[in-house]
Amino acid sequence: MTRKTIGLALSGGGARGFAHVGVLKALQDNDIPIDCVAGTSAGSFVGAAVAAGMNADEIYRFGGGLNWFKISSLSYSPRGLLSNAKMKFFIEKHFESARFEDLKIPFAAVACDLESGSEVVLTEGDLTEAIRASCAIPGVFVPVPDHNGRMLVDGGVVSPVPVNAVKRFAPDIIVAVDLMAAGSSFKSIPRTPLGMFFQSAMVLMRSISREQHFFADVVIAPEIGHIRPDQMGRSEELYELGVAAGEAKIEDIKGLLEVHQKAFPNV
């Protein structure tokens, strides 16, 4: 009897991406396989690592050395405050391959075409450029041009939880991890323009992400609303909360695997 396949859709979330790694740890410890993965923004970073064959411990280890200074620098472009060009070197240092074609399992990185506003699903070619584009927060990072001349920005603008992207690989079961669903626990209205921007962006992304929940079989939403997307220093807490959220959904996933096996006993 052939096992049914599982596709993983990893949302954006900035530093909250460490919670993705915790969820992966829970899945791996419970022998839940991952056959394909799609990621938006921080999810593209973690998803690419999974597709490259890294386990949760390895991802957490190299992620522990990550900080904003290692992946970004001041930009001289009017299109963004920062450049994430340095991310390319960080990825090349830790990944065995910098191309989609050499990954162990199918992977898609989701970005947004700034001009048309359409979702762009990247599945071939330069992996580092795809991740950079998927992580290019509009206004913060300079857009990343692709070989077609499009200016690409963070996929979270149009697809915070990339369920549609992972569907391209036709998995039997889709597990979505949404790091924005828990929202934020800010006790007052932000008092600065930057604070207002982040708060408004999070409200918008949560609204879009909830719509994508309907197309996933299982949604894992770690309780991380009290941690801002820029707080990389809280990686350990984010990781542990991700583990807890993943563990809470293990029986649901196993139940779906059993249903699929019973429904197709001769497959």
Side-chain angles (χ1 to χ4, degrees):
M1 179 167 56
T2 303
R3 175 183 62 77
K4 296 300 143 181
T5 57
I6 296 179
L8 194 62
L10 302 178
S11 80
R16 290 180 172 187
F18 283 101
H20 280 319
V21 188
V23 171
L24 289 171
K25 177 66 172 175
L27 297 179
Q28 291 173 4
D29 285 352
N30 287 277
D31 298 319
I32 302 296
I34 299 170
D35 300 286
C36 54
V37 60
T40 291
S41 197
S44 73
F45 211 109
V46 177
V50 173
M54 298 185 199
N55 61 38
D57 293 333
E58 291 170 328
I59 299 171
Y60 185 75
R61 194 156 47 245
F62 90 72
L66 193 64
N67 60 54
W68 295 113
F69 296 104
K70 289 186 177 180
I71 61 173
S72 64
S73 59
L74 288 175
S75 164
Y76 297 100
S77 168
R79 292 175 171 168
L81 298 174
L82 302 172
S83 165
N84 66 6
K86 290 171 66 175
M87 187 180 292
K88 175 181 176 67
F89 305 107
F90 187 89
I91 296 169
E92 290 176 341
K93 178 180 178 180
H94 294 282
F95 287 45
E96 290 184 4
S97 173
R99 296 192 64 80
F100 280 89
E101 291 78 8
D102 297 324
L103 296 173
K104 303 293 193 300
I105 62 173
F107 168 66
V110 179
C112 172
D113 182 337
L114 186 59
E115 182 177 1
S116 68
S118 60
E119 179 184 47
V120 177
V121 180
L122 303 166
T123 59
E124 59 184 20
D126 192 322
L127 183 66
T128 62
E129 293 302 290
I131 296 172
R132 283 186 58 215
S134 185
C135 293
I137 303 169
V140 177
F141 291 110
V142 177
V144 177
D146 73 353
H147 62 280
N148 293 316
R150 296 175 297 188
M151 301 301 290
L152 303 182
V153 295
D154 194 315
V157 173
V158 289
S159 184
V161 185
V163 174
N164 288 333
V166 82
K167 277 185 175 182
R168 294 185 175 216
F169 304 127
D172 297 303
I173 300 166
I174 295 177
V175 177
V177 185
D178 187 353
L179 304 185
M180 306 304 292
S184 67
S185 59
F186 299 141
K187 293 180 171 56
S188 62
I189 297 175
R191 299 181 179 179
T192 66
L194 187 60
M196 288 295 294
F197 170 79
F198 277 117
Q199 184 79 329
S200 300
M202 289 174 69
V203 169
L204 177 60
M205 290 177 69
R206 285 201 303 276
S207 176
I208 299 173
S209 68
R210 288 193 189 101
E211 294 181 5
Q212 296 177 316
H213 289 184
F214 295 107
F215 303 102
D217 297 292
V218 175
V219 177
I220 301 174
E223 293 296 328
I224 54 176
H226 59 292
I227 301 175
R228 295 196 314 269
D230 63 314
Q231 292 184 298
M232 283 195 182
R234 301 181 73 171
S235 59
E236 184 175 352
E237 183 181 358
L238 286 161
Y239 174 82
E240 293 298 336
L241 290 169
V243 171
E247 289 285 354
K249 293 289 186 174
I250 293 299
E251 292 307 312
D252 291 347
I253 299 171
K254 288 184 175 180
L256 284 171
L257 283 169
E258 291 175 3
V259 166
H260 275 272
Q261 290 168 350
K262 291 176 182 177
F264 303 97
N266 298 316
V267 175

